[in-house]
């Protein structure tokens, strides 16, 4: 019939129904479960592969569209990334490993130990060279990623054996990081050092790129519960391979032999076996390296050219930076250091040698000592405990912080401020930009020793704190509870927060009452008492607590000073 | 692994009828048309008397047709035994040039595959076996010397070829999707976290720490207040119960407690009476009356309000005519404000794009900055006790740059031992039989 015919003709004229979720975002992303199914990998293997290849999860703009209407939180990857993973031959190796483990398990359960041994000997291994080449097509790309690499390698080099990480991996990380440090020493590339409560932070100039890495303190590591070591091990696998290649390039750019060899013969008899001598003496960071042509490596690296009169905007800053860098490179030229046992030896040796100095320590501390303590040419001795009277003449005794502060400032600071036993000046962070605004009378006080300002009680009204009220809503019921750790911190810092909103950066306290005359002191004291009376009730308690604790500290330090004086008088 | 892309529609399938005989005949007719008159095998058998004549290296190819050259390019140099033998055969004079299976006329798709440089892919897969022996450090990965092709390279080439044939798709190019986050890989702590900080830096750090603590406290207090409003008296009761519980648990531990044993029976606070069940909290009465009356009332109120608003508007209009300049200035200001809001929105969008992505179930939480109180500061480097863990820092750094998604530990599920039991019916009947 005609109607039937018309019906038959209609579909070809009508447009096709657009089905939902067949185009656009829904087809660009794929969930992790789907990816696992597609690649036929276990979750652990998939994670490992993603980390090695640098494939990371993505966040689609509209999760509902991707998940076909549902909003369950899922981890999504780009479909093309997963397709790309499919070509990877490491994936085949992962499957081989799985099959291998299955065989080993079966053999073990059957009691066929010779099979187990054979399988262990022929365990399939994969190399990551091609992946590194693919992810970093040029050497500069690898240098840009060196931050991550170094941080993780340094962390792994400090791990104890019982952490579940294979010993070989720890040793490899240690070896590679030591090689990198040797390069920094040879290239005089160190620019900044910051000693924080978390660890040491270094910045070096590697081929024009600033590389920042952290090194933990030598005391025992905590046991972090939230850290998945399997994942970090995979990262470390990749980064150790990468660091090996990067080291090769860096060493060849300086004309040093790689793998590195020590230029001079060493005598390991007191310290270790001959097999371990190379590693131990390299780790001491105090031996010169062999150059490619087979002599000792040259001392000073080539200095960069100076192009004066550049019209660019940042020309002045750039030239200042270059001048500072050059000053840092020859900072400790001619200085001879001796490190006491209680100082962080490896770190200090690295920093001093990177700036042209010579170091040594007691042979009992470890291998690598070059001259004894009694050597007449020693100019500085690094000490970290109160010294008695046994001081040798002709050398300055300083705390370790002197070395770090000199490097950061680019000049030799007066050693008197850093004498052992005295509290040193504050260790400022070279990574923070201290603006000129801080210098309105605050700069001077900022340079004062921290402990000196502690004794003076804080000025109740002049203390200015950053804005507090913006965040808080229910302030009225705030009460000072008993002195738990955080409450004392609150008492210390949030004294007048409510009253002043939108403050500037905290300016410094303590106008140095010690410097005033008696009359001025009295006047100041009167003023202070007046202001104390004017404090609102809530703040008075906190203020009282602060004053009490500071007075107690002042009393204690006065007692200690008295004792010292007594001892000096009797001695 | 080699599944077709779900997004792209599948290639056209041959429409076969259900009649198997007809289909088979059709197929066989087509196949016959494609085959040359004499098959390769027959030719070889005739000319060589049943033996293969292997002329040697495929590099010594002479008099090759363009088709054969293209095929050689596709199949590579000496990748598999078959192709080596075939190419050797082609070299022999006695055999016709088209003896080996002639490739069909190249379709557009195949041309695309054949012209794709596979060498690029192979270059990325460096020769593993040879370098493994020498050690990676002796090789300059970014050097310009050509790397020798190893079996690993040919393996991957074969793999890729096979995939291309099956899926009829070119291999996927490498896409670099990282680098969108502007966060540094190794974040340096604030100046106040120095082991010997200056007073200003230290106070700033403590202030920041106090701020976060105060915010937390205010949030907890707000929750507490809300609880009190809806369920009054419970908070106090909970505290009293906890105190009573502690008292009960510590009973008899200290000698002074033994005197008050007789009075120790009032374990529960007297204020909370357990004898009668507690009443549910009173339902808060709303101001609005419910029902039809209220709807009428509301409608009336609304009408009146609308009338008043209309009057007001008319009045305002007449006033506004006198205030035109002022109004134009207002408009300018509101436009500027709108502009600023737009800029702020764009900036926020850009920040979100370069910040931490939301991957998976958990949100990324910035870790609390470690700090040391004034009395904990170490007088010297030797006496410094470190705070914080750099491993946690590393993991957080990866999460901040969206390289790892934040995970939480799953609760440990208890596994019960398998219990073996026998069905009651089986016990009696199967005593002598079976297991």
């Amino acid at each position: 019939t005609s109607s039937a015919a018309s019906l038959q003709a209609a579909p070809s004229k009508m447009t096709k129904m657009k089905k939902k979720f067949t185009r656009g975002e829904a087809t660009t992303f794929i969930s992790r479960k789907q990816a696992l199914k597609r690649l036929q990998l276990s979750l652990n293997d998939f994670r490992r592969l993603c980390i090695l290849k640098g494939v990371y999860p993505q966040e689609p703009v509209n999760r509902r569209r991707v998940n076909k209407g549902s909003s369950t939180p899922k981890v999504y990857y780009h479909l093309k990334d997963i397709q790309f993973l499919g070509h990877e031959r490491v994936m085949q190796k992962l499957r081989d490993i799985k099959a291998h483990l299955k065989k080993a398990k079966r053999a073990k359960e059957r009691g066929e130990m010779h099979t187990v041994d054979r399988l262990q000997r022929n365990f399939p291994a994969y190399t990551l060279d091609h992946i590194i080449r693919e992810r970093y097509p040029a050497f500069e790309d690898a240098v840009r990623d060196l931050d991550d690499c170094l941080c993780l390698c340094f962390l792994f080099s400090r791990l104890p054996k019982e952490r579940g990480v294979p010993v070989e991996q720890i040793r490899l990380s240690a070896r590679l990081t030591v090689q990198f440090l040797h390069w920094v020493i040879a290239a005089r590339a160190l620019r900044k050092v910051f000693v924080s409560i978390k660890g040491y932070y270094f910045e070096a100039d590697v081929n024009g790129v600033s590389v920042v890495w952290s090194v933990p303190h030598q005391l025992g590591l905590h046991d972090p519960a939230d850290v998945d070591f399997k994942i970090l091990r995979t990262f470390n696998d990749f980064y150790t391979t990468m660091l090996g290649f990067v080291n090769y390039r860096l060493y060849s750019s300086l004309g040093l032999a790689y793998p590195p060899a020590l230029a001079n013969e060493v005598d390991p008899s007191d310290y270790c076996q001959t097999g371990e001598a190379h590693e131990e003496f390299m780790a001491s960071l105090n031996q010169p390296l062999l150059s490619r042509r087979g002599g000792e490596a040259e001392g000073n690296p080539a200095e960069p050219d100076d192009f004066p009169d550049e019209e660019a905007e940042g020309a002045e800053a750039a030239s200042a930076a270059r001048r500072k860098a050059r000053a840092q490179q020859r900072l400790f030229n001619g200085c001879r250091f001796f490190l006491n046992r209680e100082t962080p030896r490896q770190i200090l040796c690295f920093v001093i040698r990177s700036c042209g100095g010579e170091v040594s320590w007691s042979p009992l501390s470890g291998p690598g000592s070059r001259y004894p303590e009694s050597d007449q040419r020693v100019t500085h001795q690094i000490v970290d405990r109160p010294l008695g009277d046994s001081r040798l003449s002709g050398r300055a005794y300083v705390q370790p912080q002197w070395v770090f502060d000199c490097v950061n400032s680019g000049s030799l600071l007066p050693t008197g401020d850093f004498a052992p036993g005295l509290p040193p000046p504050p260790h400022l962070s070279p990574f923070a930009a201290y603006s000129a605004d801080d210098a309105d009378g605050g700069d001077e006080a900022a340079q004062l020793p921290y402990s000196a300002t502690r004794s003076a009680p804080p000025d109740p009204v002049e203390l200015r704190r950053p804005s507090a009220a913006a965040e808080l809503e229910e302030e009225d019921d705030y009460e000072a509870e008993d002195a738990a750790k955080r409450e004392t911190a609150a008492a210390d810092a949030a004294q007048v927060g409510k009253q002043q909103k939108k403050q500037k950066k905290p300016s410094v306290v303590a106008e140095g009452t010690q410097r005033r005359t008696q009359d001025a002191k009295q006047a100041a004291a009167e003023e202070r008492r007046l202001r104390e009376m004017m404090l609102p009730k809530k703040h008075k308690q906190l203020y009282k607590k602060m004053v009490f604790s500071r007075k107690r500290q002042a009393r204690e330090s006065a007692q200690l000073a008295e004792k010292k004086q007594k001892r000096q008088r009797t001695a | 692994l080699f599944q077709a892309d779900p997004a792209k529609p599948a290639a056209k399938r041959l429409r076969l009828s259900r009649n198997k005989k007809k289909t088979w005949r059709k197929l066989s007719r087509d196949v016959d048309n494609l085959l040359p008159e004499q098959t390769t095998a027959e030719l070889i058998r005739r000319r060589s008397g049943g033996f293969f004549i292997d002329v040697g290296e495929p590099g010594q190819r002479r008099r090759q047709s363009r088709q054969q050259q293209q095929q050689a390019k596709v199949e590579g140099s000496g990748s598999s035994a078959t192709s080596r033998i075939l190419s050797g055969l082609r070299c022999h004079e006695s055999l016709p040039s088209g003896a080996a299976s002639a490739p069909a006329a190249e379709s557009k798709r195949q041309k695309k595959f054949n012209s794709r440089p596979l060498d690029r892919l192979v270059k990325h897969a460096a020769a593993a076996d040879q370098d493994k022996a020498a050690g990676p450090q002796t090789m300059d990965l970014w050097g310009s010397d050509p790397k020798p092709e190893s079996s690993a390279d040919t393996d991957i080439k074969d793999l890729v070829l096979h995939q291309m044939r099956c899926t009829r798709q070119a291999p996927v190019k490498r896409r670099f999707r990282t680098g969108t986050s502007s966060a540094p890989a190794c974040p340096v702590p604030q100046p106040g976290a120095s082991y010997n900080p200056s007073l200003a830096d230290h106070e700033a750090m403590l202030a920041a720490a106090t701020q976060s603590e105060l915010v937390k406290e205010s949030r907890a207090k707000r929750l507490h207040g809300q609880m009190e409003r809806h369920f009054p008296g419970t908070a106090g009761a909970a505290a009293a119960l906890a105190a009573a519980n502690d008292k009960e648990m510590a009973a008899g531990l200290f000698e002074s407690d033994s005197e008050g044993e007789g009075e120790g029976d009032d374990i529960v606070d007297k204020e909370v009476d357990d004898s009668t069940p507690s009443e549910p909290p009173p339902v808060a009465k709303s101001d609005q009356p419910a029902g039809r009356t209220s709807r009428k009332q509301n409608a009336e109120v609304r009408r009146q309000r609308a009338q008043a608003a209309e009057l007001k508007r008319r009045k305002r209009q007449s006033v506004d005519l006198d205030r035109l300049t002022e109004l134009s200035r207002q408009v300018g200001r509101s436009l500027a404000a709108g502009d600023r809001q737009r800029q702020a929105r764009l900036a926020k969008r850009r920040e979100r794009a370069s910040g931490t992505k939301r991957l998976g179930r958990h949100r990324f939480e910035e870790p609390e900055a470690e700090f040391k109180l004034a009395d904990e500061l170490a007088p010297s480097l030797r006496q410094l006790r470190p705070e914080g863990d750099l491993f946690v820092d590393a993991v957080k750094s990866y999460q901040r740059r969206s390289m790892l998604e934040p995970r939480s530990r799953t609760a440990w599920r208890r596994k019960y031992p398998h219990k073996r039991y026998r069905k009651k019916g089986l016990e009696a009947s199967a005593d002598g039989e079976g297991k």
Side-chain angles (χ1 to χ4, degrees):
Chain A
T1 59
S2 59
S3 57
S6 63
L7 271 174
Q8 271 187 345
S12 59
K13 287 186 187 165
M14 265 168 36
T15 52
K16 272 192 184 162
M17 286 275 299
K18 270 193 198 176
K19 274 197 173 164
K20 265 185 162 184
F21 312 122
T22 51
R23 61 191 81 202
E25 266 195 323
T27 50
T28 358
F29 291 94
I30 179 176
S31 74
R32 183 184 272 163
K33 214 174 187 178
Q34 288 172 338
L36 288 178
K37 229 180 187 177
R38 192 191 187 90
L39 298 173
Q40 296 172 337
L41 284 175
S42 70
L43 184 58
N44 280 336
D45 281 345
F46 175 75
R47 279 216 178 94
R48 210 170 296 156
L49 191 65
C50 282
I51 289 171
L52 292 176
K53 290 286 268 185
V55 165
Y56 304 120
Q58 306 295 326
E59 184 191 16
V61 174
N62 191 334
R63 223 180 294 144
R64 270 180 189 274
R65 260 186 255 145
V66 175
N67 208 357
K68 302 192 179 23
S70 138
S71 60
T72 2
K74 282 190 190 175
V75 182
Y76 293 105
Y77 293 82
H78 267 283
L79 179 64
K80 296 274 183 180
D81 282 347
I82 303 297
Q83 284 175 335
F84 172 71
L85 279 184
H87 300 307
E88 181 50 49
R89 84 167 103 114
V90 171
M91 201 167 60
Q92 186 55 44
K93 283 287 181 180
L94 291 173
R95 295 203 188 113
D96 290 345
I97 288 173
K98 187 175 168 188
H100 200 95
L101 287 171
K102 206 171 170 185
K103 285 184 203 163
K105 183 180 173 188
R106 184 165 181 263
K108 190 170 175 190
E109 281 174 6
R110 282 175 138 208
E112 298 165 7
M113 298 321 284
H114 57 280
T115 319
V116 173
D117 287 334
R118 176 174 57 84
L119 289 167
Q120 269 182 349
R121 265 181 277 124
N122 302 333
F123 200 84
Y126 51 79
T127 51
L128 303 172
D129 314 354
H130 61 289
I131 298 183
I132 294 172
R133 184 68 196 275
E134 172 191 82
R135 279 179 74 173
Y136 308 115
F139 177 57
E140 288 70 37
D141 302 322
V143 171
R144 254 177 259 131
D145 243 5
L146 211 48
D147 290 8
D148 248 337
C149 171
L150 289 171
C151 284
L152 207 62
C153 289
F154 272 100
L155 280 176
F156 267 74
S157 65
R158 302 281 173 128
L159 272 181
K161 283 186 212 171
E162 300 85 32
R163 196 54 72 89
V165 180
V167 178
E168 273 314 310
Q169 199 170 7
I170 299 176
R171 286 182 69 192
L172 179 66
S173 306
R175 219 179 316 139
L176 290 169
T177 49
V178 160
Q179 287 171 4
F180 180 76
L181 290 179
H182 267 288
W183 178 84
V184 174
I185 291 172
R188 310 270 179 104
L190 186 67
R191 299 287 176 259
K192 292 181 187 167
V193 186
F194 179 44
V195 184
S196 81
I197 52 181
K198 276 204 259 190
Y200 298 91
Y201 287 81
F202 298 100
E203 181 180 304
D205 179 17
V206 179
N207 280 27
V209 180
S210 300
V211 169
V212 179
W213 75 92
S214 59
V215 178
H217 283 291
Q218 266 157 344
L219 288 179
L221 290 171
H222 300 207
D223 199 352
D226 293 338
V227 171
D228 189 350
F229 269 95
K230 274 187 275 177
I231 287 185
L232 289 183
R233 272 175 58 188
T234 319
F235 271 110
N236 187 244
D237 273 339
F238 180 78
Y239 285 138
T240 43
T241 325
M242 176 187 151
L243 191 53
F245 288 115
V246 166
N247 279 346
Y248 179 86
R249 264 299 269 258
L250 293 174
Y251 272 61
S252 44
S253 72
L254 281 187
L256 294 168
Y258 194 84
L262 299 168
N264 309 323
E265 284 286 315
V266 287
D267 177 27
S269 53
D270 289 333
Y271 303 108
C272 55
Q273 298 170 348
T274 359
E276 299 167 339
H278 179 259
E279 223 174 272
E280 289 290 321
F281 278 85
M282 281 283 287
S284 73
L285 294 177
N286 211 7
Q287 300 293 325
L289 294 180
L290 199 67
S291 76
R292 256 196 187 154
R293 284 180 231 97
E296 200 178 294
E298 283 126 25
N300 295 327
E303 293 192 350
D305 294 327
D306 198 7
F307 294 103
D309 300 332
E310 282 177 30
E311 289 294 325
E313 266 183 22
E316 251 198 66
S319 63
R322 259 183 274 125
R323 259 181 276 122
K324 187 174 180 186
R326 256 179 281 145
Q328 282 173 326
Q329 284 176 341
R330 35 182 143 85
L331 184 64
F332 294 134
N333 271 8
C335 296
R336 282 191 150 220
F337 289 79
F338 189 84
L339 307 177
N340 261 23
R341 267 179 307 164
E342 67 273 2
T343 53
R345 188 165 50 89
Q346 208 188 27
I347 305 277
L348 280 171
C349 178
F350 165 61
V351 174
I352 291 168
R353 281 198 75 213
S354 303
C355 298
E358 290 182 37
V359 205
S360 183
W361 47 80
S362 153
L364 297 169
S365 305
S369 154
R370 309 195 75 193
Y371 44 82
E373 186 177 355
S374 52
D375 193 334
Q376 292 299 317
R377 297 169 293 169
V378 170
T379 52
H380 299 82
Q381 183 151 349
I382 315 279
V383 173
D384 209 0
R385 58 183 155 89
L387 266 188
D389 291 327
S390 59
R391 288 182 189 224
L392 295 171
S393 64
R395 60 179 71 175
Y397 286 79
V398 283
Q399 296 191 25
Q401 197 189 311
W402 179 80
V403 174
F404 304 128
D405 283 349
C406 285
V407 172
N408 287 333
S409 66
S411 57
L412 291 174
L413 301 173
T415 55
D417 297 333
F418 294 86
L422 289 181
H427 177 61
L428 303 172
S429 164
F431 294 97
Y434 288 95
S435 60
D437 295 345
D438 292 344
D440 51 10
D443 201 9
E444 206 185 272
Q447 304 293 331
L448 276 178
Y450 185 54
S451 51
T453 54
R454 267 202 233 164
S455 51
D459 215 336
V461 176
E462 277 179 30
L463 272 173
R464 290 195 238 138
R465 302 293 167 205
S467 67
E471 281 284 347
L472 308 172
E473 289 179 20
E474 286 166 279
E475 288 283 331
D476 306 308
D477 305 327
Y478 180 72
E479 284 169 2
E481 292 166 21
D482 281 331
K485 182 172 171 174
R486 302 229 172 217
E487 268 71 54
T488 47
D492 270 352
Q495 209 202 21
V496 200
K498 282 182 236 167
Q499 291 181 359
Q500 281 120 11
K501 305 188 183 186
K502 293 175 193 169
Q503 296 301 317
K504 294 186 290 180
K505 256 181 96 179
S507 63
V508 188
V509 180
E511 299 152 90
T513 46
Q514 303 135 0
R515 297 196 194 135
R516 293 190 184 177
T517 59
Q518 280 291 335
D519 298 331
K521 263 193 196 169
Q522 277 180 359
E526 289 271 351
E527 249 191 87
R528 183 165 280 118
R529 257 178 257 128
L530 262 174
R531 282 204 219 107
E532 274 179 44
M533 286 198 293
M534 280 171 40
L535 266 183
K537 220 196 244 177
K538 295 175 218 170
H539 300 306
K540 239 187 211 165
Q541 243 193 349
L542 303 175
Y543 176 65
K544 272 192 189 156
K545 276 199 190 152
M546 266 179 92
V547 166
F548 175 74
S549 65
R550 292 196 183 186
K551 275 195 176 157
R552 185 179 43 177
Q553 270 168 1
R555 218 183 317 131
E556 281 177 11
S557 58
Q559 281 176 355
L560 282 171
E562 220 184 278
K563 276 191 190 168
K564 186 179 181 190
Q565 277 184 355
K566 261 195 209 165
R567 223 188 314 122
Q568 281 179 349
R569 264 184 259 131
T570 53
Chain B
L1 180 75
F2 304 117
Q3 289 168 30
D5 198 342
K8 292 204 180 132
K12 265 191 186 165
R13 252 196 271 137
L14 199 62
R15 296 216 175 258
L16 298 169
S17 64
R18 271 176 161 189
N19 192 331
K20 292 182 183 162
K21 211 176 192 177
K22 271 193 190 165
T23 321
W24 182 248
R25 280 211 189 125
K26 195 175 172 194
L27 274 175
S28 59
R29 220 183 304 133
D30 290 341
V31 165
D32 280 337
N33 288 340
L34 285 173
L35 283 178
E37 282 193 20
Q38 284 178 329
T39 56
T40 322
E42 281 183 25
L43 269 170
I44 292 164
R45 221 184 302 127
R46 238 170 257 165
R47 301 294 181 101
S48 60
F51 298 104
F52 284 112
I53 305 164
D54 195 336
V55 183
E57 288 306 304
Q60 298 162 16
R61 252 172 249 139
R62 292 166 259 127
R63 285 193 283 123
Q64 259 194 328
S65 73
R66 203 144 153 267
Q67 263 182 345
Q68 285 164 356
Q69 279 172 3
Q70 273 184 333
Q71 195 186 14
K73 226 201 286 181
V74 164
E75 300 206 315
S77 51
S79 53
S80 61
T82 343
S83 66
R84 212 179 340 117
I85 292 166
L86 279 176
S87 52
L89 285 172
R90 274 182 237 125
C91 293
H92 199 262
E93 289 159 356
S94 52
L95 291 173
S97 48
S101 54
E106 279 191 351
S107 65
K108 252 195 218 170
R109 223 187 256 127
Q110 282 181 325
K111 274 192 193 143
K112 184 179 156 193
F113 301 152
N114 293 339
S115 63
R116 248 182 208 288
L118 283 169
D119 298 326
R120 219 193 295 149
L121 203 76
V122 171
K123 261 192 223 167
H124 293 173
D129 301 337
Q130 284 142 8
D131 298 327
K132 213 168 152 182
Q137 297 110 322
T138 56
M139 184 181 81
D140 188 3
L141 193 66
W142 295 281
S144 47
D145 353 303
K147 276 160 267 304
E149 228 184 59
S150 72
S151 61
D153 298 340
T154 45
D155 282 347
I156 197 171
K157 227 197 282 184
D158 285 348
L159 200 71
V160 170
L161 267 175
H162 178 72
Q163 183 189 11
M164 277 159 58
R165 281 197 209 108
C166 292
T167 60
R168 305 196 196 183
Q169 287 170 7
V172 179
K173 272 193 266 189
R174 168 74 196 173
R175 274 142 221 281
F176 291 95
R177 290 183 211 285
T178 54
T180 51
S181 175
S182 52
C186 183
V188 185
Q190 46 190 325
S194 159
Y195 94 98
N196 180 17
S198 70
L199 180 64
D201 295 335
H202 190 234
E203 300 282 276
M205 183 179 71
L206 286 183
T210 347
Q211 287 319 310
S212 55
E213 270 305 300
L214 290 172
V215 164
K216 275 195 227 165
E217 263 186 37
S218 74
R219 285 202 191 122
K221 199 166 298 193
R222 201 185 315 148
L223 270 175
H224 186 91
Q226 284 174 352
M227 280 286 288
E228 275 289 322
R229 207 180 318 132
H230 292 292
F231 308 104
T234 40
L241 199 63
N245 189 31
D246 289 339
K247 196 173 168 189
E248 184 185 340
M249 297 305 272
L253 285 177
F254 308 104
E255 283 177 6
S256 55
D257 280 3
S258 58
E259 295 166 7
E261 241 181 71
E263 306 159 7
D265 281 333
D266 64 325
I267 289 166
V268 184
D269 200 4
K270 281 179 190 139
E271 287 175 17
V272 177
D273 193 8
D274 269 349
S275 52
T276 55
S278 58
E279 291 171 2
V283 177
K285 276 197 165 184
S286 54
D287 297 290
Q288 303 289 326
R292 205 184 293 163
T293 345
S294 70
R295 266 184 261 131
K296 253 197 192 168
Q297 289 174 358
N298 284 348
E300 182 59 43
V301 161
R302 258 184 272 128
R303 211 184 320 121
Q304 282 178 356
R305 283 208 200 118
Q307 268 185 351
E310 178 63 35
L311 272 171
K312 223 180 178 179
R313 192 180 66 81
R314 288 210 192 123
K315 238 190 186 178
R316 212 189 306 129
Q317 263 185 350
S318 62
V319 168
D320 280 347
L321 279 168
D322 305 328
R323 303 196 300 126
L324 269 179
T325 42
E326 160 84 35
L327 282 176
S328 66
R329 247 183 269 138
Q330 264 186 13
V331 164
R333 259 179 279 156
S334 63
L335 281 175
D339 228 1
R340 262 178 279 137
Q341 279 178 3
R342 195 169 58 87
Q343 296 298 327
R345 234 183 307 126
L346 286 174
K348 202 176 178 185
R349 204 177 295 169
R350 256 180 272 123
E351 201 194 288
R352 205 191 305 160
S354 67
T356 312
K357 296 182 187 156
R358 175 76 193 274
L359 314 159
R361 194 179 297 271
H362 304 282
R363 245 179 240 282
F364 171 69
E365 281 174 13
E366 277 287 347
E368 287 180 13
E370 286 89 357
F371 63 91
K372 276 203 180 289
L373 293 178
D375 47 357
E376 290 173 342
L377 285 174
S380 72
L381 190 56
R382 179 175 52 96
Q383 291 161 318
L384 172 69
R385 292 278 171 274
E387 289 273 338
D389 195 315
L390 287 177
F391 270 107
V392 174
D393 263 16
V395 173
K396 283 283 179 187
S397 160
Y398 291 134
Q399 288 175 358
R400 194 179 296 118
R401 286 175 289 153
S402 314
M403 288 162 69
L404 287 180
E405 84 275 10
R407 288 159 73 191
S408 68
R409 289 204 166 256
T410 48
W412 180 60
R413 299 268 161 103
R414 191 167 164 195
K415 282 187 183 168
Y416 295 96
H418 288 289
K419 268 187 171 177
R420 293 188 152 272
Y421 73 99
R422 209 169 191 183
K423 265 175 147 174
K424 273 192 181 167
L426 282 175
E427 269 178 36
S429 61
D431 260 339
E433 314 156 356
K435 294 184 189 170

